[in-house]
Amino acid sequence: MTKFALFLGCLIPLRLPFIEVSSRRVMEKLGIELVEMNGAGCCPDPIGIQSIDYKTWLALAARNLCIAEEMNLDILTLCIGCYETLKTANHVLNNGPEFKYEVNEILSEVDKEFKGNIQVKHIIEVLYEDIGPKEIENQISMPLEGLQVATHYGCHSVRPSEIIQFGNPERPTFLDELVEALGAQSVPYLEKMLCCGAGLRNTAKEKEEEALSLAKVKLDEIQRSKADCMTLSCPFCFISYDIGQLQINRKFKERYNLPVFYYLELLGLALGISSSRLGLKFHRSKVTPVLKKLGLA
Amino acid sequence: MMNFEKLQIPIDSNLCERCGKCSGACPSYRFMPEFNPAQIVIKLATREKEKIEDVFMDPSIWFCTMCHTCLERCPENVAPSHLFVEVKNIAAQQGNLPDSLKKESNQIIETGLTVPISPAIKRRRDELGLMEFLPPNIEEIQKIIKKTKFDQLVG
């Protein structure tokens, strides 16, 4: 059985726990064991904390990496922000002896030492590389036939490519392949690689309208593409389009009504896990039209 | 590659070709013209103290979403998004740091997390059949923060 150290982060377990539920239930069904990381903290945030103090950001990330090193397991993250932080820190510490020296000096305060003997993977990377779209296609029992899906990658799932080294940084296809493995169709649309704007929500609170405008550009294009729903794999992006959609409707007097799914939720449905066991009722964007189309509601 | 001891700023004045691809690729520039990546890079490349100080005090440097599209498209290896991390590190030391980030930082210093563990979320996790959320080892996190003096920076 393949095993990973599960890095939960903050946002999923403490704001969007239904994403944690789907991920755990699906991975169990696919025979992947997830082991808890005792004592792990915030990754920390790759946008805010890295921008304030690179050294603290790297040291706190290294402490999380050390926990997995002690478990002798590669890390699996559910969030693309955590992925960016932990994968970048791992890369920087493995390739920069001066960083490793300085960070280990800081870590000696807590009797830890970064060694550099594990890898960091995002759950989508594990699904695509360790399991593969073909195997997923074989495993599903309830193909999502007829479902038109707009995929949203999330900036840090592919960039900076020098560090992430997974998929094309501007024209990736892995998520589209994973959607089609479920029997659904990935629909092409404009602005597919546009940032969701989540970074702005934290670092520039006064620019809320601009952040919402950014998300709105994508919603407009997805609406034009006639997709039934969108899918993504990051809790920050999820909030931008799920709760964000309600904020956009209020602010710009619009009536968007696009169901938004974390990819593992669609995979869960295709594996025959019920929508109630996936906690889909906790979405702010209503998922019922999709469940109806699939004959599940 | 970022190097917090040997800063790249001021950058080499010949490095940027002024092609403008970074600004063309920037989602923030699209809605906030006051944040113009190419202009920031060009200011840093002037090597003029006053212009560089201007960049550090400019609130718009915090408008970068860190999508890293500029870094992918830059033909000259300026790596704007990484360069801006360096700019913001220096800006923070000079007191140009948004309140929302101070708040987030202090949340991490106090709890090791960016989101509080509320009674409501405990109930929601329970309802979903999830195990109790394991809190971080806050002693370790606070020791690291004390060592890097992060608490003083964001205090």
Side-chain angles (χ1 to χ4, degrees):
Chain A
M1 192 184 218
T2 314
K3 253 196 212 183
F4 288 94
L6 174 65
F7 187 83
L8 280 173
C10 312
L11 205 53
I12 288 179
L14 299 172
R15 267 191 81 183
L16 309 168
F18 46 90
I19 289 183
E20 181 182 336
V21 163
S22 315
S23 305
R24 286 185 188 271
R25 298 219 154 115
V26 166
M27 292 317 247
E28 190 187 350
K29 206 151 188 174
L30 294 175
I32 300 228
E33 189 181 343
L34 302 175
V35 188
E36 309 307 312
M37 285 178 68
N38 285 326
C42 177
C43 58
D45 161 19
I47 302 174
I49 307 303
Q50 179 180 202
S51 297
I52 301 169
D53 189 34
Y54 191 76
K55 195 191 289 190
T56 302
W57 175 71
L58 205 54
L60 289 176
R63 190 191 74 91
N64 287 324
L65 293 168
C66 287
I67 295 172
E69 285 184 353
E70 286 156 18
M71 296 163 75
N72 214 5
L73 290 174
D74 289 339
I75 287 179
L76 179 145
T77 75
L78 305 182
C79 165
I80 289 176
C82 300
Y83 178 61
E84 164 106 337
T85 284
L86 298 177
K87 193 156 182 175
T88 303
N90 208 29
H91 176 93
V92 168
L93 294 168
N94 275 319
N95 292 284
E98 72 281 12
F99 286 108
K100 189 171 160 182
Y101 178 81
E102 186 157 0
V103 161
N104 272 335
E105 210 175 71
I106 298 169
L107 290 178
S108 69
E109 295 278 318
V110 294
D111 298 319
K112 288 203 181 309
E113 187 193 354
F114 173 85
K115 296 192 176 69
N117 50 21
I118 58 145
Q119 285 193 325
V120 177
K121 290 191 158 192
H122 182 252
I123 193 163
I124 291 293
E125 197 178 358
V126 170
L127 290 174
Y128 189 78
E129 287 195 329
D130 296 45
I131 301 173
K134 264 265 153 314
E135 180 56 24
I136 287 174
E137 200 177 332
N138 291 337
Q139 295 261 348
I140 60 166
S141 53
M142 223 284 306
L144 310 183
E145 267 163 32
L147 194 68
Q148 306 272 320
V149 184
T151 59
H152 168 82
Y153 277 82
C155 299
H156 298 164
S157 74
V158 286
R159 291 187 298 270
S161 56
E162 184 199 345
I163 291 165
I164 300 294
Q165 297 189 13
F166 176 56
N168 183 301
E170 299 217 52
R171 276 172 233 86
T173 58
F174 54 86
L175 189 56
D176 303 275
E177 290 174 55
L178 286 172
V179 160
E180 304 215 321
L182 307 181
Q185 250 186 325
S186 165
V187 295
Y189 67 98
L190 288 172
E191 306 284 5
K192 187 165 171 172
M193 294 308 290
L194 186 64
C195 171
C196 76
L200 281 175
R201 283 203 305 270
N202 239 5
T203 60
K205 279 260 185 310
E206 73 278 19
K207 293 292 173 188
E208 194 202 357
E209 185 166 336
E210 285 80 357
L212 292 176
S213 302
L214 208 50
K216 184 176 179 298
V217 168
K218 179 161 288 215
L219 289 175
D220 276 333
E221 290 304 335
I222 293 179
Q223 192 162 275
R224 245 158 48 95
S225 78
K226 303 268 187 284
D228 298 305
C229 63
M230 81 187 283
T231 194
L232 39 75
S233 64
C234 173
F236 287 92
C237 305
F238 185 90
I239 289 175
S240 294
Y241 299 112
D242 183 68
I243 300 163
Q245 220 175 125
L246 307 184
Q247 294 168 327
I248 290 167
N249 284 348
R250 256 201 312 274
K251 189 125 211 153
F252 302 101
K253 303 203 172 12
E254 292 282 356
R255 302 180 76 174
Y256 295 106
N257 192 17
L258 181 75
V260 182
F261 292 91
Y262 185 73
Y263 175 77
L264 276 284
E265 296 175 328
L266 289 182
L267 175 51
L269 290 174
L271 286 167
I273 305 174
S274 72
S275 63
S276 62
R277 277 180 60 79
L278 295 169
L280 296 185
K281 68 171 179 185
F282 295 115
H283 286 212
R284 301 294 293 276
S285 59
K286 291 298 161 218
V287 299
T288 328
V290 166
L291 297 181
K292 276 193 180 142
K293 183 159 187 172
L294 296 171
L296 296 169
Chain B
M1 181 71 64
M2 276 283 300
N3 186 333
F4 50 73
E5 289 307 324
K6 298 181 208 84
L7 296 175
Q8 299 169 52
I9 300 169
I11 62 166
D12 185 338
S13 51
N14 295 318
L15 197 58
C16 172
E17 292 281 347
R18 305 192 172 205
C19 69
K21 281 192 173 140
C22 50
S23 297
C26 180
S28 294
Y29 179 58
R30 188 160 165 175
F31 288 99
M32 295 169 284
E34 64 269 44
F35 176 75
N36 184 336
Q39 213 151 49
I40 298 173
V41 172
I42 290 165
K43 269 191 187 169
L44 294 172
T46 60
R47 305 179 74 89
E48 289 170 32
K49 193 167 178 283
E50 219 167 89
K51 285 192 178 148
I52 292 171
E53 289 297 322
D54 263 7
V55 173
F56 296 147
M57 294 321 287
D58 188 343
S60 80
I61 54 171
W62 296 96
F63 298 171
C64 171
T65 68
M66 303 264 296
C67 75
H68 299 304
T69 315
C70 56
L71 181 152
E72 298 293 339
R73 295 197 191 166
C74 175
E76 296 299 329
N77 232 357
V78 173
S81 53
H82 279 169
L83 187 67
F84 299 160
V85 168
E86 226 174 270
V87 167
K88 286 177 279 184
N89 271 220
I90 297 169
Q93 283 165 20
Q94 299 186 359
N96 175 8
L97 177 60
D99 285 342
S100 55
L101 286 181
K102 278 189 197 163
K103 202 174 149 207
E104 181 191 331
S105 302
N106 282 297
Q107 177 85 32
I108 291 179
I109 293 171
E110 278 164 38
T111 65
L113 301 164
T114 56
V115 184
I117 308 176
S118 67
I121 200 70
K122 281 188 176 175
R123 282 196 300 274
R124 176 68 55 92
R125 291 182 62 83
D126 219 34
E127 189 183 343
L128 285 162
L130 284 167
M131 66 176 79
E132 201 178 326
F133 180 74
L134 302 168
N137 184 331
I138 188 65
E139 292 82 21
E140 286 190 3
I141 291 169
Q142 287 176 345
K143 273 185 190 168
I144 289 171
I145 282 169
K146 211 165 169 215
K147 176 88 175 168
T148 64
K149 301 192 170 74
F150 184 65
D151 47 346
Q152 293 173 27
L153 182 66
V154 299

